[in-house]
Amino acid sequence: IIKEFCVIGLISEELRTLKNMKFNRSLLIAGPEKSGKSILINAICTETGSLKIELTLKNVSENYPELSKINQLVKNIITFAKQCQPVVIEVDLADVPFYKNIPNDLKVYKPSLMQNLLIKLVKSLSKSDRIIVIGKARSPWLTTKTKLVCI
């Protein structure tokens, strides 16, 4: 499944331009802490020779505290990623911004900023881009599923 969803699409530029082939722009890997999610993403990067960009709630909220700065971050990531394809964008705790009830200890990281970032990132990717956003999740069952599906 990983080979079909990630590896082939990142390796083959020609396949991405075919109309009858569909590759995912995003993927969510769920599992408990220390279950190998990062190792799996590193394996995808190694197999495809992809550059990895890591995003976390803490880094985004500390360095880009406003929506206008998030918009600039999206533009910067997309511009850079398109020049350095193939690229894997790893998002830690990607499920948190979509929780029904966000825990108080995570509210300080402004998860709504990460939600906006993720939605804009995925929507900015075209079919021919060899870029995939891979989110790592611990508790996807706590999310508002309609919001999570929209990306």
Side-chain angles (χ1 to χ4, degrees):
I1 292 172
I2 295 296
K3 194 166 208 167
E4 182 180 325
F5 283 145
C6 301
V7 175
I8 293 172
L10 288 170
I11 290 175
S12 177
E13 195 169 347
E14 297 81 28
L15 285 177
R16 283 189 108 31
T17 58
L18 296 175
K19 289 185 180 182
N20 58 348
M21 297 292 285
K22 185 176 180 185
F23 293 100
N24 291 349
R25 295 178 291 174
S26 63
L27 178 71
L28 186 69
I29 300 174
E33 195 172 351
K34 305 283 185 197
S35 62
K37 298 180 293 287
S38 294
I39 291 173
L40 183 58
I41 293 171
N42 289 340
I44 292 167
C45 292
T46 301
E47 183 73 20
T48 60
S50 296
L51 174 73
K52 181 171 80 167
I53 298 172
E54 296 180 20
L55 298 173
T56 65
L57 281 171
K58 183 179 179 185
N59 288 342
V60 170
S61 68
E62 286 177 355
N63 297 309
Y64 305 93
E66 304 161 2
L67 190 56
S68 62
K69 294 193 182 245
I70 290 292
N71 294 335
Q72 186 60 46
L73 176 61
V74 170
K75 288 178 189 173
N76 292 344
I77 290 173
I78 294 299
T79 302
F80 179 74
K82 287 186 178 193
Q83 291 175 355
C84 301
Q85 294 182 53
V87 174
V88 171
I89 301 171
E90 177 184 343
V91 183
D92 194 26
L93 298 175
D95 55 340
V96 171
F98 302 95
Y99 280 0
K100 292 174 190 167
N101 298 311
I102 297 170
N104 288 335
D105 60 326
L106 294 173
K107 283 184 181 178
V108 297
Y109 298 122
K110 302 177 188 174
S112 61
L113 291 175
M114 182 65 89
Q115 181 178 356
N116 285 321
L117 173 69
L118 288 172
I119 292 169
K120 289 176 184 194
L121 261 179
V122 173
K123 288 184 176 181
S124 298
L125 299 175
S126 67
K127 183 183 178 209
S128 62
D129 292 331
R130 293 184 305 144
I131 303 167
I132 188 166
V133 178
I134 301 179
K136 299 187 307 186
R138 290 188 195 157
S139 307
W141 55 86
L142 297 176
T143 63
T144 305
K145 286 155 185 69
T146 55
K147 285 185 178 179
L148 193 58
V149 171
C150 73
I151 65 166

